[in-house]
Amino acid sequence: MLLGTGASLAAMAVSGTAQAAAKPMAGEGDAAPQASTPDQIRRMQWWHAAKFGMFIHFGLYSVHERHEWAMENEAIPIGEYQALAPRFNPKPGFAREWAKLAKAAGMKYMVMTTKHHEGFCNFDTKLTDYCATKQGPKRDLVREYVEAARAEGMHVGFYYSLMDWHHPDGARCATDEAARKRFVAYTHGLIRELLTNYGKIDVLWYDVAWPLDAQGWESERMNKMVFELQPDIIVNNRNKLTGDFSTPEQKIVAETNGRAWESCMTLNDSWGYQRADDDWKSSKTIVRNLIKCASGGGNYLLNIGPKPDGSVPEESVQVLNEVGKWMDTNGATIYQSDICQPHRSSYASFTRTGNTLFMHVHFWPGRDVAISGLKTKVKSAHFLKGGQSVKFTQDPYRVHLVELPMEAPDSPVTTLVLECESEPIQDTDFVRREKPRAGV
Ligand code: GLC
């Protein structure tokens, strides 16, 4: 699975706890990093606490049922692709199902594709007829989504693809200045509509800036408009500016120096619905990924690719409900977690709140478990689920938790709570060097 590399773990180790106050690094944006402003810290607060969000890829590609890149990857002629529109008619209440599922999974925000690379707008716009209110459903799918998300208490995010495979200027804007001007006006205009017509929007999630750079997109002016329209919003880094957070995709890599980051990931191998993609991740993998993100101070944005009628594939529903059940008991170890340095184990991962270390055992060995090189004194240990206390011994090299049941007490991951005397830090190099060796 896509877990962090050694390098990212080292980065986590040095990044400390004061994530909001530290200096951001350049992510995929081109601009130089700038220190977080008090305003940025204020806008990002809910998002840091949220930790877990739902990404939704929904568009005409959902009708084609072969991944959201089908239009380009199968070189589908424009006329043939447009013929998908009349067949796009999600069932009433589809977005309520998404929002309820997100809530059940323990997610706190949602980010839906308002327009993906295919160019079809899921919202009402005066700027093109290629939109859901004039073709296909003849309804404003973005409005339905926004209302559904709010009804379940979710923060609301908009994904917006700058790259556009449908608009006549979408490619030639790179070489034709008049086309660029038209296309930038169109793009800024659509974003203006999105951020004017739906009330308070919490996240603007730009994607793929091809074929222009920040100057070509007039990204500074774009973000200025965005913040004028939505003073509380946060934006990502994919319009070639640094934005508020980085967006590692299909991998978990912590940013350094307190820069905010969010790993986005699919549940199978496709963002948009692909009927035959059966490469589903297990709830165990998802929980482990969520732990990994939280321990590195990041968020996890997990995708669903609804079917043409808006219903969520059964496999996704099942996994998300299992994750939600785990979050019902274990959620506090994620939402309220600080960056956590300990990470070395062959069967567990760790999160932390202050001096409390959570050992999340995903491969339950039964009988006993141990942590190597913990440099703080453990005062007490207990199971998170059920609260039963756990016996342990500690020497300079090992915390040894013993007399554990053979069966894992929780699923898919069992959490042990270790109250420590100070911030838990792990040093396995010390163990390798100093643990007494035998005589020859
Ligand atoms: C990529 C893909 C896209 C997907 C996105 C999610 O940029 O082009 O299909 O929407 O990643 O992060």
Side-chain angles (χ1 to χ4, degrees), residues 285-330:
T285 295
I286 299 304
V287 167
R288 288 179 67 186
N289 287 342
L290 184 54
I291 291 167
K292 190 87 180 170
C293 289
S295 75
N299 280 19
Y300 192 39
L301 185 65
L302 182 61
N303 183 72
I304 58 164
K307 296 178 182 182
D309 71 350
S311 63
V312 182
E314 300 69 33
E315 295 87 344
S316 304
V317 172
Q318 196 190 324
V319 168
L320 290 176
N321 281 323
E322 284 169 20
V323 172
K325 247 186 101 199
W326 187 85
M327 287 293 276
D328 285 344
T329 317
N330 294 268

Side-chain angles (χ1 to χ4, degrees), residues 47-66:
W47 184 87
H48 280 300
K51 295 284 194 294
F52 193 23
M54 176 181 270
F55 213 174
I56 304 131
H57 279 67
F58 197 44
L60 300 184
Y61 44 82
S62 313
V63 179
H64 191 58
E65 302 184 329
R66 298 185 195 184

Side-chain angles (χ1 to χ4, degrees), residues 55 57 68-69 116-117 159 205 207-208 238 249 264 271:
F55 213 174
H57 279 67
E68 79 285 356
W69 270 74
H116 203 263
H117 313 334
Y159 164 107
W205 215 99
D207 197 16
V208 185
R238 293 195 180 180
E249 181 172 320
C264 55
W271 299 94

Side-chain angles (χ1 to χ4, degrees), residues 355-357 359 371 374 378 380-381 399 401 416-420:
N355 294 345
T356 305
L357 182 66
M359 181 182 194
I371 305 173
L374 200 65
V378 177
S380 68
V399 179
L401 301 120
L416 292 153
V417 183
L418 283 76
E419 303 291 353
C420 304

Side-chain angles (χ1 to χ4, degrees), residues 193-212:
E193 287 181 329
L194 279 169
L195 299 185
T196 304
N197 297 339
Y198 301 91
K200 186 169 180 290
I201 300 305
D202 302 298
V203 183
L204 179 58
W205 215 99
Y206 298 115
D207 197 16
V208 185
W210 186 92
L212 301 174

